[in-house]
Amino acid sequence: MADDFERMWRDLEPVGRASASGGYFRQPFTTSERELAAWFVEQAETRSLRIETDEIGNVVAWWDVGEGPGVLTGSHLDSVLDGGAFDGPLGVVSAFAALDLLRERGFVPARPLGVSVFVEEEGSRFGLACLGSRLAAGVVTWEQARELRDHAGVAFGDVAEGGGSRLLDEVGTFVELHVEQGRDLVDRGAAVGVASGIWPHGRYRFDFTGAANHAGTTRMEDRTDPMLTYAMTALAANKQARLAGQRATFGRLEVTPNGTNAIPSRVIAWLDARCSSDAALAALVEAITDQAAGRAGRDGTRVEVTAESVSGSVSFDAALAALVAADHAGGDWPVISTQAGHDAGILSAAGIPTAMLFVRNPTGVSHSPEEFASMPDCLAGVSALADTLERLAR
Ligand code: GLV
Ligand code: MN
Ligand code: MN
């Protein structure tokens, strides 16, 4: 099992890796991500699994054994811009390794077992997080998705074939294994944990507009500078989130014309906000929007706010989490919540009983080239996933 895992991990290591930062650029429907998709099919064929695809880019490799609704496990292969190696691929590689381990154990599932990859989980290209699983679950329509555009203006409908998805029709349960994106398991001294739920979160586009002018000749009191309104909004977001015990980040910016010696005419900034409840999220975004509008009034600029990707609070099936976490040789696995979004959250909200396993991340760093999990912890994750699949497909 260790050999299988390490071989697959080595296969993936160079794909989409930037030599400057050591981070990964695996945006959906780019060369590196398509290479990973081809690798997935190859791995499935080596194991004699039946491949099922949809017209969106999602894929499932089925071990056709047993009867009834299947147990699906997997994650995603795309990354954020300059991301880490583990967010996504750990769940896919672990799924194949867990399947190998079950076969080594001589376990014959009573239900079909599938390994899945959902496309554009990060929303790093088309802006809507978990796009593939939202489409597969039917919570976003192809008509809505096809119009989403990437940074260069390419539409999702131009790269994906499009249409419906029947991939989840035969799925009874979903399990996603993921690197932890925090330090909860480190604090608890556990290699593996189980998810209780996901904080609600969203992405909001703030369009600040003002008037372009000369950076040298325009008197300070004569400016309508949207960069100033943005800057004060970013500070306000940080303060409001800290006061409320929640999270707010401006991590992406587009400036027009983006010249050193020109006051900009327009700044577009994206807010990522995450809160412990849906009501707290609504209140935080409202507070930040109010402060942005107030500041725009004083600066003589304008601001418009558009919600681009919103995911409500997720509580995973508590009985399923308890079944997965309880009665292990080393004691029960901890059950913890997360502030990160996952396809598992979409499937759970769509009514599919869903569980998540987390693997310890010694620094907690994620969405960065520094993201990490040790090999012994990754292997503990594979064996935890195999144990979980045994419990679910017995
Ligand atoms: C995905 O990883 C997210 O939480 O944004
Ligand atoms: Mn991620
Ligand atoms: Mn992920």
Side-chain angles (χ1 to χ4, degrees):
M1 175 268 273
D3 288 354
D4 284 352
F5 183 93
E6 285 179 40
R7 184 179 31 77
M8 286 188 278
W9 201 249
R10 273 198 309 276
D11 282 353
L12 299 191
E13 236 159 24
V15 184
R17 187 174 205 171
S19 45
S21 65
Y24 288 90
F25 288 83
R26 293 166 167 171
Q27 276 56 63
F29 302 102
T30 60
T31 312
S32 54
E33 191 258 5
R34 287 297 97 187
E35 198 178 318
L36 295 179
W39 169 88
F40 179 86
V41 170
E42 205 181 283
Q43 292 300 315
E45 285 170 356
T46 307
R47 292 168 173 82
S48 304
L49 305 177
R50 177 178 54 85
I51 294 281
E52 202 181 332
T53 54
D54 62 17
E55 292 155 335
I56 294 149
N58 302 314
V59 51
V60 175
W62 284 108
W63 179 9
D64 284 320
V65 283
E67 280 176 29
V71 178
L72 193 64
T73 183
S75 191
H76 59 99
L77 291 170
D78 63 306
S79 75
V80 293
L81 298 165
D82 209 16
F86 294 81
D87 179 353
L90 183 64
V92 179
V93 171
S94 299
F96 281 130
L99 194 143
D100 293 346
L101 184 55
L102 291 179
R103 286 175 169 177
E104 255 172 65
R105 289 178 183 171
F107 174 74
V108 182
R111 300 162 60 182
L113 277 190
V115 178
S116 60
V117 173
F118 292 104
V119 80
E120 177 67 315
E121 191 270 354
E122 297 289 4
S124 69
R125 181 164 178 193
F126 295 102
L128 181 54
C130 302
L131 181 55
S133 57
R134 283 184 207 264
L135 280 159
V139 295
V140 163
T141 64
W142 172 246
E143 284 62 40
Q144 295 165 319
R146 69 195 301 175
E147 297 305 329
L148 296 169
R149 290 186 186 271
D150 70 7
H151 301 199
V154 177
F156 184 60
D158 296 335
V159 294
E161 268 179 55
S165 177
R166 311 297 305 262
L167 274 193
L168 298 176
D169 285 4
E170 300 304 318
V171 174
T173 315
F174 181 59
V175 187
E176 180 170 1
L177 177 145
H178 206 278
V179 67
E180 200 201 347
Q181 297 167 293
R183 289 173 44 85
D184 208 337
L185 293 176
V186 176
D187 294 343
R188 292 165 192 261
V192 172
V194 178
S196 56
I198 301 179
W199 277 24
H201 52 284
R203 301 175 185 189
Y204 308 84
R205 173 180 157 142
F206 282 59
D207 278 89
F208 300 96
T209 42
N213 210 334
H214 195 290
T217 58
T218 316
R219 284 196 303 250
M220 297 309 280
E221 58 273 28
D222 289 344
R223 301 173 179 220
T224 43
D225 182 350
M227 185 66 91
L228 274 189
T229 320
Y230 157 69
M232 293 306 298
T233 304
L235 294 174
N238 183 280
K239 185 170 178 184
Q240 291 297 325
R242 278 189 291 112
L243 287 174
Q246 313 292 353
R247 313 268 158 92
T249 309
F250 278 100
R252 179 179 162 205
L253 212 57
E254 273 177 28
V255 182
T256 306
N258 209 20
T260 307
N261 54 355
I263 296 161
S265 57
R266 181 180 169 106
V267 173
I268 309 174
W270 281 264
L271 168 72
D272 180 307
R274 308 191 184 217
C275 293
S276 50
S277 70
D278 293 297
L281 179 62
L284 178 63
V285 174
E286 191 181 328
I288 297 168
T289 303
D290 284 351
Q291 294 220 331
R295 180 70 201 196
R298 293 194 290 285
D299 290 339
T301 55
R302 285 189 311 282
V303 59
E304 206 174 289
V305 181
T306 314
E308 287 196 340
S309 174
V310 181
S311 306
S313 167
V314 171
S315 297
F316 289 114
D317 185 319
L320 183 61
L323 172 76
V324 171
D327 301 327
H328 296 283
D332 291 1
W333 298 335
V335 181
I336 60 176
S337 74
T338 181
Q339 293 77 31
H342 299 286
D343 294 316
I346 303 298
L347 270 53
S348 173
I352 296 175
T354 296
M356 282 195 81
L357 292 176
F358 292 126
V359 171
R360 175 167 53 195
N361 173 342
T363 60
V365 172
S366 185
H367 285 185
S368 148
E370 301 302 315
E371 186 179 83
F372 186 68
S374 72
M375 192 50 72
D377 283 357
C378 290
L379 297 179
V382 172
S383 122
L385 181 58
D387 294 349
T388 300
L389 295 174
E390 273 205 38
R391 288 181 181 192
L392 299 177
R394 202 173 267 155

